[in-house]
């Protein structure tokens, strides 16, 4: 009877630990995708930045150049991020939301809401909403 209780407790502890590890892996993968795209923008690497966009963004943009020019013109805090801080991640059934605090050009602070979508085993950026934010990074 004592052995059964030990096995049950051992299994319960695995169940409690597993989601945390999976969450950490998801956090890492999503953050790596966002950082990699921001690095691609910083290096003016259009193709690398395009590679991190979701299929929906690619269809909407139509081409690498259109996508890249849209980001340069409309998403300067992402295109020229001086610093970045990852805040909360909110999982949904078909996508995740990653909240990010950015310091953009001229030192302005921004809150970026990234829609992250699964593409096989990879995460892709399905959209970004920006809002000017107070605070420090």
């Amino acid at each position: 009877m004592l052995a059964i209780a030990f096995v049950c407790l051992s299994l319960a502890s695995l169940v409690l630990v597993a989601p945390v590890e999976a969450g950490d892996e998801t956090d890492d993968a999503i953050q790596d995708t966002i950082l990699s795209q921001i690095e691609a923008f910083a290096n003016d690497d259009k193709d690398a930045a395009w590679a991190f966009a979701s299929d929906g963004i690619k269809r909407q943009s139509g081409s690498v150049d259109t996508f890249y020019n849209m980001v340069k013109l409309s998403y300067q805090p992402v295109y020229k991020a001086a610093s970045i801080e990852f805040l909360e991640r909110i999982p949904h059934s078909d996508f995740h939301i990653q909240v990010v605090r950015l310091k953009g050009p001229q030192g302005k602070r921004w809150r970026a809401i990234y829609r992250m979508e699964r593409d096989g085993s990879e995460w892709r950026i399905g959209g970004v909403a920006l809002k000017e934010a107070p605070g420090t990074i």
Side-chain angles (χ1 to χ4, degrees), residues 88 90 97-100 111-115 127-131:
E88 66 268 9
I90 305 154
I97 297 294
Q98 176 65 59
V99 181
V100 177
R111 188 173 181 91
I113 311 299
Y114 278 80
R115 179 186 170 103
V128 180
L130 287 172
K131 182 178 179 184

Side-chain angles (χ1 to χ4, degrees), residues 107-118:
K108 287 186 181 177
R109 280 128 174 75
W110 298 86
R111 188 173 181 91
I113 311 299
Y114 278 80
R115 179 186 170 103
M116 302 300 297
E117 302 173 0
R118 271 285 215 205

Side-chain angles (χ1 to χ4, degrees), residues 32-54 57-58 63-65 67-68 71 79 122-125:
D32 286 348
T33 299
I34 293 168
L35 286 172
S36 294
Q37 188 181 60
I38 288 174
E39 182 178 352
F41 288 133
N43 292 324
D44 279 328
D45 189 341
K46 295 178 186 180
D47 293 325
W50 175 256
F52 297 106
S54 70
I57 293 295
K58 289 177 179 178
S63 73
V64 173
D65 289 329
F67 166 75
Y68 201 75
V71 173
Y79 179 69
E122 303 292 324
W123 286 96
R124 300 288 180 242
I125 299 169

Side-chain angles (χ1 to χ4, degrees), residues 57-118:
I57 293 295
K58 289 177 179 178
R59 279 191 302 277
Q60 184 180 354
S61 300
S63 73
V64 173
D65 289 329
T66 301
F67 166 75
Y68 201 75
N69 289 331
M70 179 264 308
V71 173
K72 281 174 65 173
L73 294 173
S74 301
Y75 295 87
Q76 275 288 306
V78 171
Y79 179 69
K80 292 292 183 189
S83 63
I84 183 169
E85 178 184 358
F86 290 97
L87 303 175
E88 66 268 9
R89 179 176 56 87
I90 305 154
H92 294 271
S93 58
D94 295 336
F95 62 94
H96 287 226
I97 297 294
Q98 176 65 59
V99 181
V100 177
R101 190 170 19 214
L102 300 169
K103 183 176 176 185
Q106 293 86 41
K108 287 186 181 177
R109 280 128 174 75
W110 298 86
R111 188 173 181 91
I113 311 299
Y114 278 80
R115 179 186 170 103
M116 302 300 297
E117 302 173 0
R118 271 285 215 205

